[in-house]
Amino acid sequence: MATKQIIVLNVNGDDHEILVKPQQTLLEVLRETLGFTGTKQGCNEGSCGACTVLVNNKPTLACSTLAVAAVGKEIMTIEGLAGQDGTLHPIQKSFVENGAIQCGFCTPGMVMSTKSLLDRNPNPSEEEIKEGLSGNLCRCTGYAKIIKAVKAVAAG
Amino acid sequence: MQRGKVTGVTDKPSEEIMEGYSVIGKSVPRTDAWDKVIGRAVYTEDIKLPNMLYGKILRSPHAHARIVSINTEKAEKLPGVKMVMTGKDILPVKYGIVPFAQDEYGLAIDKVRYVGDDVAAVAAVDEATAAEALELIEVVYEPLPAVFTVEDAMKDGAPEIHEGPKVKNNVSIQYRKEFGSIDKGFEESFHIREDVFKTHGQYHAPLEPHAAIAMYEPSGKLTLWSSTQIPFFLRHNLASTLGITEDRVRVIKPVVGGGFGVKIDMFSKDFCAAFMSMKTGRPVKMVYDREEALTCVRGRHPSIVKVRTGVAKDGRIISQYIDLTVDGGAYNSTAPLIITLSGYFAMIPYNIPNLVLDAKHVYTNKYANGAMRGHGAPQMRFAVESQMDILAADLGMDALEIRRINALEAGCDHPAKMILRSCGFKESLDLAANAIGWKEKRGKGNFRGVGLGGSGWASGVNNMSHIGGGAVVKLEKTGGVTVLTGAADIGQGAESVIAQIVAEELGVSFAKVRVIAADTDVCPLDSGTFGSGVTVRSGKAAQLAARDIKKQILTVVAKNIGGDPEHLTIKDDYIWQNGQKKMDINKAVKLVQYADIQVPMIGRGYYQLPAKEPTTLLRDNGDISGSYSFGTQAAEVEVDPKSGRVKIIKIVTADDAGRALNPDQVEGQVEGAVMTGLGHTLFEDPDFDMTNGQARSTSFTDYKLPTALDAPDQEVIHIETDDPVGPFGAKECGEGATIYTAPAIVNAITDAIGVRINDLPITPEKILRALEEKNNKGRKEA
Ligand code: FES
Ligand code: FES
């Protein structure tokens, strides 16, 4: 077995020095080592989007990314999105107000994907929203209220 | 924005406040939305306990085999492995949802019955070690012949999946339900036709995989955190299979990431985590991977439904004979329920004076099927609603009209003696048809079409034992309210709706109510989340508990300010007398506390509809629920004749869910249910290798769930009927809306292409084949 190594990961603005195995995924390290359990594991094989985090502002499936590959980059998880004082990010607020959350298991990934979508395209059309969220599965909402929530943020 | 704040309530003039509801009927954000959106909601998988071990299950590679021997020695010697267990270690006590149909052990004993059956379990210091240990367990199997279709399973001489006198030709449960006289009915019919419909399986696929953590303490107490829908039944099943009393088991349901029925049964992750924690004295965590959470749990029952219907000239249904065979997979799970519920939902939403249902539940060597959103009704409604369109065409009638003529109404003398206190079905037909543009769009062909499907569903199934719920409402000195409920929120929003009910009934603001739920040591007994009964059952219990405490407060206040307590009420945090504000709730609470009556201030409520003991669902006619939801779905589709692909343009749901306590949440339930129905109708299809029973759909890559790209335009129309049974007039809304999606879409496709497909799913290949056959026929006739 390959040897463990010490790496530094920057998560939500803070540096964390940790010991990892080369094959450990970013998801495992975030959840198990660092306790950022807001990032969800729905499949662990890159096909549900529940583990979506932002790495250097790019939506990234943490289950399909090695922890070592995230060294030197800025990682943002759902825990890092709200303000220090607890104020919700406009996307979070919109999800809450528009009934876009049921079981909530897809929510963190969905919110992170929305953030990346709106960063790239602040005024997406309905088709662009659907396209932008098509990698995030939700079994509860039928997507209707999620799409509505995203539209509402885009409209400001 | 403030958490849970209902704005614009207390600033209104008093007359306006006294009218109408303060929080009922308002789309307040759910109480748990905030935690969920910041990543703070704690699901079972997120919990870590000191000194915790990780468990894994060894699963059968054979669809049907005898276990000759299991050698665990090597696995036990692997450093880091703390325990290995097999069926030999456990009590031979069977468990299951329905007592007389129990046929499962915590781990397989002697025999495995599907690829994935639970054979052994390991607990180790970490997951990787546990996984490595599984590879070291040596199992010798003697493979047995296996069957994968109900047709093969029922043949004489077919392999016996469960031996024993109760099962013949693998038919594990069989029942006949009869109302009126079908023979006479068919004699009187003007037109009779028979059709056969087939439905396929479906994975529930909640995004959160199944998980459990067990912690056994030296005192003899076992605590299990589990992603379950039914904490109290789980406690019961755990205690009986472990051979301990229920009072030593505490089941806690953390936040659950969806269930849809697949978290009703106990699974080996619950049983083995508990067993190994008891033996090792350490907490044990078990989380299923995605493949296990799809292929080793439960699914929707595939079915074959033969329907023979006799109608009068004007389209009235006179007689109906239904022969239903469902593929149960390797175990019974909810077997008696699926077939009886199918029967009951053949009796709704149309008046069918003479009906016979012959139903069978058949074992096959595939994963077991169980309750899934609609539980039996989607299969039945797909068949019957498809045939309604066929009958209408035979009679030269409009498909909307034939439904209107047969629609049940509130207060009717129901042939099966169901009591319909409220029923918005007729209205739903008209509203859905109008909204989809029925008149303009129906029958135009040209690969675009509209279709309808109607249905109803129970607000909890009550004609069986122990289907009740309790609630306790505690009032704090500061005016805060704590509700203890056994209701299990699995994402549908039960806790939030219960908070709304208590806030309204007690007259306090929504933000003051905190709900503590689904902990069997702390919360009152509740039967759990199934049959779409939570709002009506647990919600009503909470309402009664709030009413109880309200009465206590008002008695004391009346003594203090004079007058009859009956003329006092609490609303928007104030005590009111004859339309006048008298004092705020905090002051009232203080009064009560200084009065010489018992503290703590506790209100109690319990709600259960009359039920018979033991379960009588199988035998009796009669009401099976306190209330029934009704609705119609209308679909508009476009079919591409070149590729056979179907585009769903719009789905309208006109839904009578009684009073919508939280309209946004009702809509959310409907929209989600529609997508589950849409996926099932068009492409979700658990695939098996029919030579060996190996599941082929083992991930979200080869089992496609609908994505945002599949989301059609949806319109939800609420029909408010104010049912007298449920809290504030509410009925169910979680399951009903998934039932009629398939017939609405299929009837629309038929309208678009002019040919009907009777077996789900409606894939592009089937459409192309149907079009080709139609063309060939057209050519021959020409
Ligand atoms: S957990 Fe990473 S995509 Fe599903
Ligand atoms: S809210 Fe449950 S999966 Fe999206």
Side-chain angles (χ1 to χ4, degrees):
Chain A
M1 202 183 280
T3 45
K4 293 181 180 179
Q5 51 179 303
I6 294 175
I7 61 169
V8 175
L9 287 185
N10 185 286
V11 186
N12 302 328
D14 295 325
D15 278 345
H16 298 268
E17 194 180 82
I18 46 171
L19 190 63
V20 298
K21 292 181 202 144
Q23 77 275 22
Q24 263 184 306
T25 64
L26 179 58
L27 180 62
E28 188 184 345
V29 169
L30 284 174
R31 287 182 53 84
E32 302 298 323
T33 315
L34 297 173
F36 290 105
T37 52
T39 303
K40 296 299 171 209
Q41 175 174 316
C43 69
N44 210 23
E45 51 197 17
S47 51
C48 77
C51 64
T52 307
V53 295
L54 300 184
V55 177
N56 283 351
N57 272 324
K58 276 211 190 71
T60 303
L61 297 176
C63 74
S64 309
T65 306
L66 292 178
V68 290
V71 173
K73 299 181 179 166
E74 284 177 10
I75 302 159
M76 187 195 255
T77 70
I78 189 72
E79 289 93 342
L81 195 57
Q84 293 281 341
D85 60 348
T87 335
L88 294 185
H89 184 279
I91 297 171
Q92 292 173 310
K93 189 166 171 265
S94 185
F95 268 59
V96 170
E97 286 176 346
N98 286 290
I101 301 165
Q102 288 189 26
C103 82
F105 204 78
C106 71
T107 306
M110 207 58 100
V111 167
M112 297 317 270
S113 289
T114 302
K115 173 151 193 323
S116 140
L117 167 70
L118 295 180
D119 285 348
R120 278 177 282 137
N121 177 1
N123 268 308
S125 66
E126 176 151 341
E127 279 317 305
E128 287 167 336
I129 295 175
K130 288 181 175 178
E131 188 66 52
L133 299 181
S134 61
N136 292 75
L137 297 177
C138 174
R139 189 54 149 174
C140 301
T141 64
Y143 306 100
K145 300 248 179 293
I146 293 175
I147 294 166
K148 188 174 155 206
V150 178
K151 275 190 195 162
V153 204
Chain B
M1 189 180 108
Q2 243 181 300
R3 186 177 194 155
K5 184 167 179 226
V6 193
T7 49
V9 174
T10 39
D11 319 326
K12 283 191 245 156
S14 56
E15 318 79 66
E16 224 175 276
I17 288 179
M18 294 317 289
E19 280 169 20
Y21 295 123
S22 301
V23 58
I24 289 299
K26 306 247 175 350
S27 293
V28 288
R30 302 162 55 118
T31 47
D32 57 0
W34 195 288
D35 281 353
K36 285 175 174 174
V37 88
I38 61 171
R40 282 285 299 278
V42 179
Y43 300 77
T44 305
E45 199 186 343
D46 301 334
I47 300 171
K48 233 184 193 177
L49 299 174
N51 211 20
M52 190 167 80
L53 300 173
Y54 295 80
K56 280 207 175 297
I57 304 285
L58 180 72
R59 299 186 174 279
S60 165
H62 297 286
H64 197 191
R66 206 163 290 292
I67 299 172
V68 178
S69 65
I70 306 181
N71 186 341
T72 58
E73 241 170 74
K74 282 186 199 149
E76 277 159 20
K77 286 200 184 118
L78 184 73
V81 170
K82 299 298 166 189
M83 183 172 175
V84 182
M85 67 180 288
T86 73
K88 283 227 172 348
D89 302 315
I90 68 174
L91 293 174
V93 176
K94 289 177 182 167
Y95 74 92
I97 296 284
V98 183
F100 73 84
Q102 293 176 334
D103 60 359
E104 237 170 318
Y105 296 113
L107 278 180
I109 296 183
D110 299 337
K111 216 176 139 171
V112 287
R113 297 178 172 87
Y114 77 98
V115 176
D117 215 345
D118 322 74
V119 175
V122 173
V125 288
D126 55 36
E127 267 196 279
T129 310
E132 209 184 322
L134 291 187
E135 313 251 309
L136 299 175
I137 300 174
E138 297 159 344
V139 188
V140 179
Y141 294 99
E142 177 198 326
L144 299 168
V147 279
F148 307 113
T149 65
V150 290
E151 290 91 344
D152 287 347
M154 288 192 295
K155 276 187 191 141
D156 281 336
E160 275 189 318
I161 298 174
H162 290 261
E163 289 102 0
K166 282 208 299 207
V167 184
K168 240 197 121 203
N169 291 3
N170 291 309
V171 176
S172 74
I173 310 277
Q174 189 160 12
Y175 110 119
R176 183 180 173 96
K177 191 124 193 151
E178 195 164 358
F179 306 96
S181 158
I182 55 162
D183 292 343
K184 201 163 151 269
F186 283 124
E187 263 166 42
E188 290 165 10
S189 297
F190 166 76
H191 173 65
I192 299 170
R193 72 169 293 148
E194 183 171 304
D195 297 280
V196 182
F197 301 87
K198 283 190 179 177
T199 69
H200 62 301
Q202 183 178 27
Y203 292 147
H204 303 66
L207 264 269
E208 180 208 21
H210 298 61
I213 300 173
M215 180 180 74
Y216 187 68
E217 288 159 289
S219 64
K221 186 87 193 177
L222 174 73
T223 305
L224 186 85
W225 289 263
S226 176
S227 55
T228 178
Q229 299 186 214
I230 49 171
F232 288 91
F233 266 118
L234 178 55
R235 178 179 70 168
H236 174 79
N237 278 326
L238 260 186
S240 69
T241 48
L242 292 169
I244 59 179
T245 51
E246 275 186 39
D247 55 278
R248 282 175 56 196
V249 183
R250 176 183 189 183
V251 173
I252 300 173
K253 178 208 70 71
V255 178
V256 167
F260 318 109
V262 79
K263 292 173 180 172
I264 284 180
D265 298 74
M266 178 170 95
F267 293 102
S268 59
K269 50 107 188 164
D270 300 301
F271 174 77
C272 295
F275 190 92
M276 294 196 289
S277 182
M278 287 173 75
K279 294 285 181 213
T280 60
R282 293 171 68 170
V284 177
K285 179 175 188 172
M286 291 190 130
V287 181
Y288 284 177
D289 64 24
R290 182 40 66 187
E291 179 172 352
E292 289 176 296
L294 292 174
T295 65
C296 303
V297 281
R298 299 289 184 251
R300 193 187 288 291
H301 296 83
S303 73
I304 303 170
V305 196
K306 281 185 209 146
V307 192
R308 184 144 58 96
T309 306
V311 287
K313 211 170 177 173
D314 62 3
R316 266 181 307 112
I317 298 169
I318 300 178
S319 211
Q320 199 159 58
Y321 173 77
I322 301 173
D323 181 285
L324 169 75
T325 307
V326 304
D327 180 347
Y331 296 97
N332 268 334
S333 181
T334 57
L337 297 177
I338 157 89
I339 57 176
T340 44
L341 287 169
S342 303
Y344 276 110
F345 293 96
M347 303 302 297
I348 265 183
Y350 304 118
N351 182 49
I352 301 166
N354 306 293
L355 182 134
V356 167
L357 174 80
D358 272 325
K360 292 184 207 71
H361 178 275
V362 183
Y363 287 134
T364 56
N365 292 111
K366 297 182 293 193
Y367 63 77
N369 290 302
M372 180 169 183
R373 219 170 187 177
H375 204 187
Q379 293 91 327
M380 185 56 70
R381 295 312 320 155
F382 165 64
V384 174
E385 291 291 317
S386 294
Q387 205 190 42
M388 287 300 273
D389 268 35
I390 301 174
L391 286 164
D394 287 356
L395 296 171
M397 280 179 82
D398 178 39
L400 171 63
E401 197 47 34
I402 196 168
R403 289 180 167 82
R404 293 186 91 261
I405 285 180
N406 286 290
L408 290 166
E409 287 179 276
C412 64
D413 182 14
H414 189 272
K417 301 294 167 239
M418 293 179 176
I419 301 169
L420 312 185
R421 295 174 181 87
S422 64
C423 174
F425 183 56
K426 243 189 192 160
E427 213 178 327
S428 77
L429 280 167
D430 294 337
L431 289 169
N434 267 342
I436 207 74
W438 184 258
K439 274 206 194 98
E440 311 83 72
K441 291 179 182 162
R442 176 75 171 180
K444 297 291 181 290
N446 206 16
F447 302 103
R448 219 173 150 121
V450 292
L452 294 173
S455 180
W457 183 247
S459 306
V461 178
N462 287 282
N463 197 9
M464 52 196 292
S465 48
H466 310 307
I467 306 291
V472 169
V473 173
K474 295 197 297 174
L475 201 53
E476 311 296 343
K477 206 160 82 188
T478 50
V481 178
T482 306
V483 186
L484 304 181
T485 169
D489 197 328
I490 54 171
Q492 82 276 39
E495 289 181 23
S496 200
V497 162
I498 285 171
Q500 277 185 275
I501 290 170
V502 169
E504 188 70 54
E505 182 65 38
L506 192 49
V508 299
S509 41
F510 180 57
K512 283 191 174 157
V513 183
R514 202 164 58 100
V515 175
I516 295 177
D519 175 335
T520 61
D521 261 15
V522 175
C523 304
L525 185 71
D526 188 280
S527 46
T529 295
F530 59 89
S532 221
V534 180
T535 298
V536 168
R537 181 184 56 242
S538 317
K540 184 90 174 188
Q543 186 185 24
L544 295 174
R547 197 172 287 168
D548 179 19
I549 200 163
K550 181 162 80 175
K551 201 169 152 201
Q552 297 173 40
I553 299 167
L554 293 181
T555 309
V556 175
V557 173
K559 261 196 202 131
N560 188 273
I561 64 172
D564 187 344
E566 297 282 312
H567 297 148
L568 294 180
T569 185
I570 315 177
K571 197 162 169 67
D572 299 332
D573 297 318
Y574 280 92
I575 313 287
W576 297 72
Q577 191 178 37
N578 306 322
Q580 298 291 317
K581 264 188 194 173
K582 285 293 171 185
M583 70 176 74
D584 74 22
I585 182 96
N586 290 22
K587 190 164 172 219
V589 171
K590 224 175 241 162
L591 274 183
V592 177
Q593 282 167 339
Y594 284 110
D596 195 16
I597 63 163
Q598 58 161 10
V599 258
M601 295 177 62
I602 283 180
R604 299 193 304 175
Y606 182 73
Y607 186 68
Q608 175 173 17
L609 283 167
K612 288 181 192 162
E613 183 99 38
T615 303
T616 55
L617 201 56
L618 284 172
R619 296 191 307 268
D620 293 357
N621 292 355
D623 215 16
I624 58 155
S625 184
S627 59
Y628 304 86
S629 70
F630 290 93
T632 302
Q633 241 161 38
E636 181 176 8
V637 305
E638 193 174 49
V639 180
D640 175 0
K642 286 210 187 72
S643 66
R645 292 170 83 96
V646 176
K647 183 172 157 56
I648 310 288
I649 296 164
K650 185 170 181 175
I651 304 254
V652 178
T653 307
D655 191 31
D656 160 21
R659 171 165 286 114
L661 303 184
N662 184 319
D664 262 8
Q665 280 202 50
V666 170
E667 251 172 61
Q669 283 298 306
V670 171
E671 289 158 352
V674 165
M675 280 300 263
T676 301
L678 181 153
H680 188 228
T681 310
L682 297 180
F683 49 84
E684 286 183 45
D685 189 6
D687 190 20
F688 291 89
D689 181 334
M690 286 308 215
T691 62
N692 59 18
Q694 179 75 50
R696 282 197 184 120
S697 317
T698 57
S699 73
F700 286 139
T701 316
D702 33 46
Y703 185 85
K704 294 274 185 225
L705 290 189
T707 72
L709 291 170
D710 300 301
D713 182 14
Q714 286 207 43
E715 182 179 341
V716 182
I717 304 171
H718 303 284
I719 299 166
E720 298 234 323
T721 50
D722 198 9
D723 189 87
V725 169
F728 299 105
K731 301 197 279 190
E732 79 84 30
C733 73
E735 298 196 41
T738 212
I739 297 172
Y740 34 33
T741 309
I745 292 176
V746 175
N747 288 337
I749 292 173
T750 312
D751 188 44
I753 64 172
V755 260
R756 179 168 290 280
I757 296 166
N758 284 354
D759 58 324
L760 294 179
I762 312 290
T763 57
E765 297 76 50
K766 282 187 196 166
I767 291 195
L768 291 180
R769 212 179 310 137
L771 283 174
E772 200 185 304
E773 277 166 24
K774 182 186 152 195
N775 289 342
N776 289 343
K777 219 168 125 201
R779 245 176 263 135
K780 258 185 226 148
E781 277 163 18

